[in-house]
Each structure stands twice: as C-alpha cells, then as structure tokens.
Amino acid sequence: MESPLNVVGFAKANMKHDVEEIIQGILNHPTKQRAIELAPKLIFAEYLRELAENTYLIVRVMIRKNENDNEEPDVTVYDCDALVKAEYNLQLQEVHVEKIDEDDEEDTDYYVVCEEKETSMEIVFVLQNTIEYLEGVRKGESIQEVNIVGVASEGTIILPIEKDEEEERIEKEERDKLRAIIQKMKDGDEEARELLEKEEKELDLQLKERLKEEDFLTVMSGYFMPATFEDAVYAILGDITKIKQRKNKLTDEVMYVLTLAVNDMPMEVVINAKELIGMPTIGMRFMGTCWVQGQVIMG
C-alpha cells in the first residue's frame, strides 16, 4: 500500500540503503510525530518529515514494550510512505472506513470507501492519518469531511477535446440526467434501477460505435477507473484547471500539483516533474496512474 518515494522528490532513492538512510533521518529529526496505544504494551507511532507545502514523508513504527520494563522495547519500522494533503475537501457521502485485517491488532492499514456527492462516483482510498482517525473514534467523534489526492507514478499531458457550446450542453444534460436517476435508485425507486441499466447500455453502444471511427482519447473526455483490485490505484484522465509547483527541500526535485476536472469531479494529483511527459498547461488534459490516498477530518 506504499506510494513510491520518487513521486515526492526522491527519484534517486532506489537502493535499499538509500531508503534506510531516509527513514533514519525522519526518525531522528521529524517535523511532527504522534502515537497511540493499540493494546497494553503495544504502541503505534507516526513520524512525519515536511518536504514541501502539504507534502511529507511518513514513517510508521510499531513499538512493543517488554514484560520487563527495564529492557529496551522492540521497535519495528512498519513502512515509509509519501503523504500529500489535498488543498480542499471533496463533497462526499456514505463514507466507510475498513480495516484490512480486523483480527490482527497490529494491522494499521485502513481503506476508506466513499461516494463523491455530485457525480455519485465511488472512490476507494488509503487512509493516511490513521492515528487521528483512531483517536477520534475513541472520543466518539464521527467523520465530518474527507480530502483525497492522487499520487501519480507516471503521467502524460495530452491535447483537450474540441467541443462547441451545444456539445458541452448536451454532455452536461446527460450527466445531470444520470445523477438524477442514480439518486432515485438510492431512494429505493426500482424503476430508476431499470432506467439506469437501459441508459448505461445505450451509452455503451454509442461508445463502441464511435470507437470504430475515432481514437479513444477523442471519445473519452475524462475517466477515473480502478487500475488494480488492490492498493487503491486508479487510471485517471481529466482537464487541468490549476497548476502549482513544489520543491522537495531535501533533494531540490520539483513536483507538479495539478487540479483536474474529471467528468465534473475535482481531483488533485501530485507527480514528480521527472515522471511527467509534456508541459502541463491549463486547458490541456492529464492522463496517468496514481495511488489515491486521503485523510478523514473527525469531529
């Protein structure tokens, strides 16, 4: 479930000893740290090192105290991962947090399953602020907001699709129509379920017909699709609406933070400039593969 470190400015950290050196540096000089007791004599800790604005490396450590308190505890490095905070929160609904292995007290891997409110798109992402979530649960708090970001391993800048006002109007009407049907289906309308199936079949047929004569990227203006069944990895295509640059303080490597519109859903993606093909420009499209991670805000 770990995102590759090169995404946040460690393109050269490929050898094991390089990663071990990075981990040791974070443990010795963290920007912030937090810990929680999972069980008697079992402590889970997170050490964060700031690399750039809203961009960190996080090292997770499991500490098991010995029966004899005079002995040094056993410390196991759990993982080292990129952690990027989104700049704004998505409007989500039906948020569920799921532990990977409920029977393992030492397992701190959690997925969050949710639905984007405007598009009804289901999103699965890796929870990054695990300790804040667990502390909130113990206090009886609930999830108030969620923010997510795509941590891209590779990407390409491609041309936008030329559309006139009439084509954009028709597309918007179709999306609004589908949202209305999905909402009725959620409210228990069985006719809406049948109507949705009919609409999906018609769209599928239209897509197949167009693909006989047109290139895939001229037919699909955007998509957000699971690329694997594990690890919350998605293939993504969307219009670039905002661009920022960040520089890793330790390596001076540059990252792009791209805000995308993916079929009306806003999505932030961060990528190492060395892994991006083409120059990002507002109005162009980004196509790539990313790990989707995020945080829950408790209250």
Side-chain angles (χ1 to χ4, degrees):
M1 289 172 59
E2 298 173 43
S3 305
L5 302 188
N6 68 315
V7 173
V8 289
F10 290 96
K12 296 180 181 179
N14 297 318
M15 303 300 291
K16 183 179 178 181
H17 69 272
D18 291 331
V19 176
E20 290 177 349
E21 186 176 331
I22 291 169
I23 290 173
Q24 198 58 51
I26 296 170
L27 295 177
N28 292 337
H29 304 286
T31 304
K32 61 177 75 174
Q33 61 190 76
R34 51 206 182 203
I36 189 170
E37 188 175 60
L38 298 178
K41 297 186 179 296
L42 183 65
I43 296 172
F44 176 56
E46 297 173 339
Y47 296 80
L48 285 81
R49 180 71 175 272
E50 186 179 41
L51 306 173
E53 179 188 5
N54 289 333
T55 308
Y56 302 82
L57 277 187
I58 179 169
V59 175
R60 300 179 177 91
V61 174
M62 200 67 71
I63 304 167
R64 183 178 291 278
K65 297 180 181 179
N66 291 298
E67 293 300 324
N68 184 348
D69 291 335
N70 293 324
E71 294 181 12
E72 289 292 320
D74 296 324
V75 179
T76 304
V77 175
Y78 187 66
D79 65 19
C80 178
D81 200 1
L83 187 155
V84 182
K85 292 184 178 179
E87 293 189 1
Y88 54 85
N89 300 327
L90 279 182
Q91 296 297 311
L92 301 174
Q93 55 190 3
E94 300 184 16
V95 181
H96 305 285
V97 180
E98 300 178 1
K99 187 177 181 181
I100 303 303
D101 189 348
E102 290 288 350
D103 298 324
D104 185 357
E105 66 176 4
E106 295 191 22
D107 182 22
T108 55
D109 290 337
Y110 290 82
Y111 283 112
V112 180
V113 182
C114 55
E115 193 173 279
E116 206 275 324
K117 188 174 182 180
E118 291 300 316
T119 62
S120 297
M121 189 180 298
E122 184 179 85
I123 303 172
V124 179
F125 67 86
V126 178
L127 181 65
Q128 288 290 46
N129 61 331
T130 307
I131 290 179
E132 290 178 345
Y133 165 71
L134 293 175
E135 288 176 338
V137 170
R138 290 182 182 182
K139 294 175 184 176
E141 297 176 346
S142 59
I143 297 172
Q144 301 298 310
E145 295 180 306
V146 170
N147 64 56
I148 65 171
V149 64
V151 181
S153 58
E154 53 81 27
T156 304
I157 303 300
I158 62 175
L159 292 170
I161 295 177
E162 293 292 336
K163 301 178 194 172
D164 57 31
E165 290 184 5
E166 179 65 14
E167 289 173 322
E168 290 184 353
R169 183 187 66 78
I170 292 172
E171 278 194 13
K172 185 178 185 306
E173 287 180 355
E174 282 295 325
R175 287 196 292 265
D176 291 344
K177 180 181 177 182
L178 285 174
R179 286 192 202 115
I181 294 172
I182 290 170
Q183 188 56 54
K184 287 182 181 179
M185 188 182 72
K186 289 180 182 177
D187 294 338
D189 188 332
E190 287 300 320
E191 290 185 5
R193 185 182 299 277
E194 294 176 5
L195 184 58
L196 180 63
E197 291 176 358
K198 181 181 177 181
E199 287 287 334
E200 288 177 339
K201 287 180 181 178
E202 289 181 1
L203 288 172
D204 186 51
L205 287 173
Q206 291 174 16
L207 180 61
K208 287 178 180 177
E209 284 300 314
R210 288 189 62 184
L211 287 173
K212 290 178 181 178
E213 299 181 358
E214 300 177 63
D215 180 79
F216 178 78
L217 292 177
T218 64
V219 174
M220 296 295 292
S221 58
Y223 56 72
F224 185 71
M225 303 181 296
T228 69
F229 291 105
E230 299 178 337
D231 296 345
V233 179
Y234 284 78
I236 186 169
L237 171 66
D239 297 320
I240 301 172
T241 60
K242 187 177 178 181
I243 302 168
K244 278 192 171 184
Q245 283 191 22
R246 295 176 187 167
K247 182 181 286 189
N248 184 313
K249 296 176 183 178
L250 303 181
T251 66
D252 285 334
E253 291 183 21
V254 174
M255 296 160 269
Y256 285 111
V257 182
L258 308 176
T259 303
L260 309 178
V262 185
N263 294 336
D264 285 347
M265 181 185 76
M267 180 74 186
E268 288 177 73
V269 172
V270 60
I271 184 170
N272 191 314
K274 295 181 179 180
E275 305 298 331
L276 182 62
I277 299 173
M279 180 60 66
T281 308
I282 292 175
M284 300 287 278
R285 288 184 293 168
F286 171 86
M287 179 177 66
T289 305
C290 59
W291 284 257
V292 178
Q293 57 174 243
Q295 303 190 45
V296 293
I297 292 87
M298 308 294 289

